[in-house]
């Protein structure tokens, strides 16, 4: 009676338990949302006949309970990194080339978020007590170095990173910031970055990434930005959002026939995806929740066209712009999104969206843009254009100058909004200087509109941490308040060039030393797109990113400072001279020794044989040479070792001298 009951119970238990387990497992995933992956591509013609392609991949792992260490889509390497080093926020970028703020824009979300300084830039915020942050930073740089095949581990040294307080990001916290301006960026960095995508570069939008066409471009920046909910209870795994972007500026090679045909060079080049990348999109990455290609055009193009054409109907308002006048798209857009014009704001734009899921292998997506008329427009500029240069000459002193030039956009609508607060233009300057450039911060001078002005009038807030030799770099954070109608402003700082120890010189020291880019941001200006709201927009991570309020930010040039370098050829010269001396002495010594031995042997042989012909011959030879024939029993051999000993002594003396010279000279 009991046995069958027990058996059935057991049976039932066995039958149900895996399901129960499964359900509890899936409940954890379902309770949060599912993991998500979105892929988007934004294409934008630039005023200087180039094309911007901005790939945006977004992976989200929701916070999950206990055994949520396994991910379906989210890259495990990143989630482990976040868990292990308690990273709250991190951004890593690899960039080659310099973003041209004047031509490609300095106010839009892409230039503020995705224009990065050359080389590697890394910053991270940790969720650990302040005294442990440095240890976590060091371990993080080493892990990232391995993950991305780059020399990020050089940022481990305390001379290479700094802790900005308020000028770099508003969010306070345990932030560390470091850059490697001279890092060469290549495919070996791109491949690990692509590996983090669920479809790699095998399907979806990433399949467009043809290496030669990307690296041929004028600018490319690959970026990884992650945020996590690190402050979650211990047993749960924090939610992570990973944003991977690749921004490239490419020159479409315009078909030569059209330029000959039109006879004009001011035509924007017509292009298509296949002409830029050499590939087409043959469908989306199957796992992706959304896969969209956007084409962004500035509205000023349309107004330009209207002026050019002046044919009555407003092409902007009429059905779709696809059939519009000045240009032609090869495909009809699936969605048209307009940016709200903020009181006749110049830079508002229109986005055309194309769903990638509608296309497949046999009918690939090959978006093309063809211009019918020459169109001119200019990108929106940040209120001030910043550039940085070196002054002075020689190997001892110099000065760094940061020059701001008004772009006249401050008096347009976006600036006028801030007229109410006394019309001040706030500028944050964040500058890190390596320790061997000893900056004298008291020598700060300000020139506004070419006139030297007292510092107190314009510098609202300044925080300086001077460099310590071989320990930490110098850091300057400054908040400037300039009048709105300023035309130009310049800051200068004097410095002394330091000396390095012989071990600290990098290879090719004569090239010079890089001072990392300064970060210039405008806290009162936000690069934000107000898109006319639509549910499909809200789901797109790229567009929601565009709609976030971000400070307008730009980077200055990297400076190259020549430092005094020792003459690295001198040890080489010493070695060469020593070797020459050695070679001369040993050569002649061996020569002397060998010749005597040979002569003696010959003589001995000649003496033993006593063949009269040979003796005669040798005597004759000796006569010809003008030497008296030596007798065999003459003790001439005694002098040979004597000469040898003298020679050896001399050689040793010279060697000792050479070694001593080399030792004391270096
Ligand atoms: C960093 O790595 C070292 C060596 O692996 C280890 O001993 C140390 O505990 C790590 N520190 C942190 C904060 O993870
Ligand atoms: C972090 O938590 C907040 C609130 O709990 C949530 O809104 C946000 O989406 C979370 N972030 C991530 C990356 O999961
Ligand atoms: C949002 O976009 C979809 C797709 O184009 C369109 O059908 C819908 O009418 C739009 N909704 C609003 C509120 O504009
Ligand atoms: C955009 O600008 C036009 C012309 O200045 C104006 O008529 C229209 O109302 C503006 N639209 C919005 C949403 O502000
Ligand atoms: C590709 O899509 C077109 C229409 O969009 C459809 O007619 C065709 O059958 C599809 N081909 C394949 C192989 O799925």
């Amino acid at each position: 009676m009991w046995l069958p009951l027990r058996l059935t119970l057991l049976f039932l238990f066995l039958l149900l338990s895996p399901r129960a387990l499964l359900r509890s497992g899936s409940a954890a995933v379902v309770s949060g949302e599912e993991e998500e992956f979105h892929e988007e591509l934004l294409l934008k013609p630039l005023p200087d006949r180039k094309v911007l392609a901005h790939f945006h991949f977004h992976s989200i792992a929701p916070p999950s309970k206990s055994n949520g260490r396994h991910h379906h889509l989210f890259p495990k390497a990143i989630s482990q990194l976040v868990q292990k080093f308690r990273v709250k926020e991190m951004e890593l970028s690899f960039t080659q080339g310099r973003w041209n703020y004047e031509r490609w824009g300095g106010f839009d979300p892409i230039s503020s978020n995705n224009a990065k300084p050359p080389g590697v830039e890394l910053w991270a915020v940790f969720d650990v007590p302040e005294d442990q942050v440095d240890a976590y930073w060091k371990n993080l740089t080493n892990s990232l170095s391995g993950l991305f095949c780059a020399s990020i581990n050089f940022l481990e040294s305390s001379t290479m990173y700094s802790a900005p307080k308020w000028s770099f990001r508003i969010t306070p916290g345990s932030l560390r910031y470091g850059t490697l301006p001279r890092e060469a960026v290549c495919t070996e960095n791109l491949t690990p970055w692509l590996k983090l995508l669920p479809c790699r570069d095998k399907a979806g939008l990433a399949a467009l990434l043809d290496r030669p066409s990307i690296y041929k471009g004028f600018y490319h920046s690959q970026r990884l930005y992650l945020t996590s909910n690190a402050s979650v209870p211990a047993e749960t795994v924090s939610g992570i959002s990973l944003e991977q972007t690749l921004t490239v500026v490419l020159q479409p090679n315009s078909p030569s026939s059209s330029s000959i045909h039109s006879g004009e060079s001011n035509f924007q080049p017509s292009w298509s995806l296949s002409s830029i990348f050499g590939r087409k999109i043959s469908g989306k990455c199957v796992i992706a929740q959304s896969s969209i290609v956007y084409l962004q055009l500035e509205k000023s193009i349309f107004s330009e066209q209207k002026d050019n054409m002046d044919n009555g109907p407003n092409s902007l308002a009429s059905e779709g712009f696809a059939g519009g006048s000045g240009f032609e798209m090869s495909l009809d857009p699936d969605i048209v999104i307009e940016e709200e014009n903020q009181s006749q704001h110049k830079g508002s734009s229109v986005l055309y969206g194309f769903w990638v899921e509608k296309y497949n292998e046999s009918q690939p997506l090959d978006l093309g843009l063809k211009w019918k008329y020459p169109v001119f427009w200019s990108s929106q500029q940040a209120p001030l254009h910043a550039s940085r240069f070196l002054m002075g000459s020689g190997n001892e002193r110099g000065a760094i100058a940061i020059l701001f030039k008004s772009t006249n956009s401050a008096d347009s609508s976006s600036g006028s909004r801030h007229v109410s607060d006394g019309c001040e233009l706030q500028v944050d300057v964040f500058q890190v200087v390596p320790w061997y450039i000893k900056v004298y911060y008291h020598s700060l001078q300000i020139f506004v509109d070419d006139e030297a002005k007292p510092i107190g009038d314009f510098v609202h807030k300044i925080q300086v941490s001077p460099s310590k030799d071989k320990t930490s770099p110098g850091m300057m954070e400054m908040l400037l308040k300039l009048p709105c109608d300023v035309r130009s402003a310049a800051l200068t700082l004097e410095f002394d060039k330091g000396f390095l120890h012989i071990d600290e010189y990098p290879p090719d020291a004569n090239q010079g030393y890089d001072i990392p880019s300064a970060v210039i941001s405008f806290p009162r200006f936000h690069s934000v797109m107000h898109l006319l709201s639509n549910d499909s927009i809200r789901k797109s991570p790229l567009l929601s990113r565009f709609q976030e309020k971000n400070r307008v930010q730009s980077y200055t040039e990297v400076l190259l400072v020549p430092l005094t370098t020792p003459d690295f050829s001198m040890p080489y010269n010493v070695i060469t001279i020593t070797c020459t001396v050695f070679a001369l002495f040993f050569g002649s010594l061996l020569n002397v020794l060998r010749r005597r031995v040979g002569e003696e042997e010959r003589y001995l042989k000649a003496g033993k044989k006593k063949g009269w012909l040979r003796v005669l011959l040798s005597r004759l030879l000796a006569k010809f040479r003008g030497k008296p024939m030596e007798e065999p029993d003459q003790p001439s051999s005694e002098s040979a070792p004597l000469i040898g000993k003298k020679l050896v002594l001399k050689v040793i003396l010279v060697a000792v001298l050479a070694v001593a010279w080399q030792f004391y000279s270096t």
Side-chain angles (χ1 to χ4, degrees):
M1 180 68 205
W2 282 110
L3 201 69
L5 190 66
R6 258 196 221 170
L7 269 177
T8 41
L9 274 176
L10 193 71
F11 181 69
L12 270 175
F13 178 71
L14 280 176
L15 202 82
L16 290 175
S17 57
R19 286 207 187 161
L21 274 176
L22 265 181
R23 204 175 302 145
S24 71
S26 61
V29 177
V30 171
S31 69
E33 310 99 73
E34 288 283 343
E35 283 173 31
E36 284 177 38
F37 175 68
H38 301 267
E39 52 174 11
E40 279 152 304
L41 166 63
L42 179 95
L43 295 162
K44 185 181 173 186
L46 294 171
D48 64 341
R49 306 160 55 78
K50 298 190 178 67
V51 175
L52 169 82
H54 176 69
F55 293 84
H56 188 278
F57 305 98
H58 200 147
S59 312
I60 302 164
S64 54
K65 291 267 181 304
S66 56
N67 62 345
R69 281 181 191 280
H70 298 287
H71 294 287
H72 301 289
L73 305 176
F74 199 81
K76 196 168 179 182
I78 296 296
S79 72
Q80 282 175 342
L81 206 75
V82 171
Q83 304 297 323
K84 197 167 171 198
F85 304 119
R86 313 191 46 124
V87 182
K88 218 154 91 183
E89 206 174 351
M90 185 188 95
E91 185 173 24
L92 171 67
S93 64
F94 295 88
T95 308
Q96 204 157 45
R98 190 166 174 267
W99 182 266
N100 191 334
Y101 287 96
E102 278 165 320
R103 288 181 168 181
W104 304 340
F107 202 95
D108 52 323
I110 289 192
S111 67
S112 297
N113 291 327
N114 294 87
K116 291 282 158 194
V120 169
E121 187 198 48
L122 171 70
W123 62 264
V125 181
F126 298 89
D127 183 36
V128 292
E130 187 60 40
D131 57 328
Q132 289 174 33
V133 175
D134 287 328
Y136 277 93
W137 166 265
K138 281 174 190 176
N139 288 11
L140 175 72
T141 55
N142 280 305
S143 297
L144 286 174
S145 178
L147 201 58
F148 287 99
C149 296
S151 36
I152 306 172
N153 56 326
F154 282 103
L155 292 176
E156 176 193 33
S157 145
S158 64
T159 58
M160 296 296 289
Y161 66 87
S162 50
K165 293 281 183 304
W166 45 268
S167 60
F168 182 63
R169 281 185 75 78
I170 313 153
T171 47
S174 8
L175 175 71
R176 292 292 178 274
Y177 172 91
T179 56
L180 295 170
R182 211 187 279 184
E183 180 80 3
V185 180
C186 203
T187 46
E188 71 212 18
N189 308 117
L190 182 66
T191 311
W193 183 87
L194 284 171
K195 268 191 184 170
L196 303 176
L197 302 174
C199 289
R200 312 271 160 111
D201 58 345
K202 300 286 181 268
L205 297 178
L208 277 181
L209 295 173
D210 171 47
R211 307 300 193 279
S213 21
I214 295 172
Y215 289 99
K216 206 168 61 185
F218 288 80
Y219 172 86
H220 79 92
S221 173
Q222 119 198 14
R223 178 173 155 272
L224 181 138
Y225 173 72
L226 65 86
T227 49
S228 82
N229 280 3
S231 54
V232 289
E235 74 273 12
T236 57
V237 176
S238 61
I240 311 169
S241 137
L242 171 69
E243 188 182 299
Q244 287 173 265
T245 62
L246 179 76
T247 312
V248 282
V249 174
L250 301 166
Q251 174 81 66
N253 30 1
S254 49
S256 51
S257 58
S258 78
S259 61
I260 290 165
H261 181 69
S262 63
E264 284 183 81
S265 58
N266 48 13
F267 254 90
Q268 281 274 334
S270 303
W271 49 265
S272 67
L273 280 181
S274 54
S275 79
I276 300 177
F277 294 107
R279 296 178 188 186
K280 296 172 186 174
I281 304 172
S282 55
K284 67 172 201 169
C285 170
V286 194
I287 326 171
Q289 257 83 355
S290 63
S291 180
I292 310 172
V293 176
Y294 293 105
L295 176 68
Q296 187 184 4
L297 292 174
E298 311 236 341
K299 258 187 196 162
S300 50
I301 297 176
F302 300 104
S303 53
E304 182 90 20
Q305 274 167 29
K306 263 188 286 171
D307 298 347
N308 277 1
M309 308 235 320
D310 71 22
N311 54 349
N314 184 352
S315 65
L316 227 174
S318 64
E319 33 86 44
F321 316 80
S325 25
F327 65 93
E328 199 174 75
M329 280 185 282
S330 62
L331 302 166
D332 282 336
D334 297 306
I335 183 171
V336 180
I337 303 159
E338 273 187 69
E339 190 180 354
E340 273 179 42
N341 47 353
Q342 308 143 28
S343 54
Q344 199 71 345
H345 198 286
K346 239 181 108 184
S348 56
S349 50
V350 185
L351 287 158
Y352 302 98
F354 302 86
W355 312 135
V356 176
E357 62 203 6
K358 280 171 52 183
Y359 301 88
N360 55 28
E361 289 279 0
S362 52
Q363 201 189 16
L365 169 61
D366 184 16
L367 175 64
L369 189 68
K370 209 168 165 186
W371 300 93
K372 293 186 190 160
Y373 300 97
V375 183
F376 304 97
W377 75 97
S378 57
S379 330
Q380 213 184 340
Q381 299 293 319
L384 295 174
H385 177 73
S387 60
R388 196 176 58 162
F389 52 89
L390 282 179
M391 302 196 299
S393 61
N395 275 336
E396 206 185 341
R397 309 212 156 78
I400 302 175
I402 301 178
L403 178 67
F404 299 101
K405 269 195 185 151
S406 172
T407 54
N408 292 324
S409 72
D411 45 34
S412 83
S413 53
S414 73
S416 61
R417 276 194 297 170
H418 308 295
V419 170
S420 51
D421 37 64
C423 199
E424 284 170 333
L425 197 56
Q426 294 196 359
V427 187
D428 270 343
V429 182
F430 168 57
Q431 158 102 60
V432 179
V433 182
W435 66 263
Y436 39 81
I437 310 286
K438 298 174 200 300
V439 176
Y440 297 120
Y441 291 99
H442 69 268
S443 67
L444 175 70
Q445 277 183 299
I446 289 197
F447 299 86
V448 176
D449 292 334
D450 301 331
E451 277 174 57
K453 291 280 168 80
I455 298 164
D457 292 1
F458 297 99
V459 178
H460 188 68
K461 192 172 165 190
I462 183 166
Q463 192 165 359
V464 160
S465 67
S467 60
K468 290 197 195 89
D469 273 8
K470 296 170 199 194
T471 314
S472 65
M475 186 180 71
M476 183 184 78
E477 295 175 272
M478 190 192 286
L479 173 60
L480 287 174
K481 282 192 175 167
L482 300 169
C484 279
D485 56 352
V486 66
R487 273 172 289 120
S488 72
L491 301 174
T492 62
L493 281 168
E494 285 169 22
F495 64 81
D496 266 1
K497 299 181 183 180
F499 289 100
L500 279 84
H501 189 257
I502 187 116
D503 303 336
E504 288 158 349
Y505 285 97
D508 192 13
N510 290 310
Q511 188 193 328
Y513 293 79
D514 299 289
I515 303 185
S517 299
V519 185
I520 312 291
S521 48
F522 302 93
R524 291 287 178 83
F525 289 82
H526 300 280
S527 59
V528 56
M529 283 171 88
H530 296 281
L531 301 172
L532 295 170
S533 71
N534 192 324
D535 279 346
S536 55
I537 298 172
R538 230 165 277 136
K539 278 183 202 139
S540 153
L542 175 67
L543 297 187
S544 45
R545 194 100 181 97
F546 280 3
Q547 284 173 293
E548 274 171 27
K549 251 187 156 186
N550 281 307
R551 299 202 293 178
V552 171
Q553 198 175 58
S554 62
Y555 288 87
T556 64
E557 300 91 342
V558 170
L559 289 180
L560 197 61
V561 186
L563 283 192
T564 43
T565 45
D567 182 5
F568 285 108
S569 69
M570 208 178 70
Y572 171 75
N573 291 343
V574 171
I575 292 168
T576 319
I577 287 175
T578 321
C579 287
T580 315
V581 169
F582 265 80
L584 274 176
F585 272 83
F586 274 110
S588 49
L589 175 71
L590 285 175
N591 207 359
V592 165
L593 288 176
R594 262 201 74 233
R595 200 191 296 148
R596 286 206 69 87
V597 168
E599 264 178 23
E600 271 176 15
E601 270 177 7
R602 207 183 323 139
Y603 183 73
L604 280 173
K605 270 182 203 161
K608 266 178 198 164
K609 283 219 169 174
K610 293 266 178 194
W612 62 270
L613 205 85
R614 271 167 192 272
V615 173
L616 202 80
L617 263 175
S618 62
R619 275 193 189 171
L620 263 175
L621 270 174
K623 275 253 167 77
F624 275 121
R625 279 179 188 159
K627 273 189 199 166
M629 181 71 193
E630 281 174 299
E631 289 304 312
D633 47 355
Q634 225 175 303
S636 67
S637 55
E638 271 177 25
S639 64
L642 258 177
I643 291 167
K645 262 182 207 162
K646 262 186 198 166
L647 258 181
V648 167
L649 272 176
K650 266 187 204 169
V651 165
I652 287 172
L653 193 73
V654 168
V656 166
L657 272 176
V659 167
W661 181 22
Q662 196 174 352
F663 184 76
Y664 285 110
S665 65
T666 51

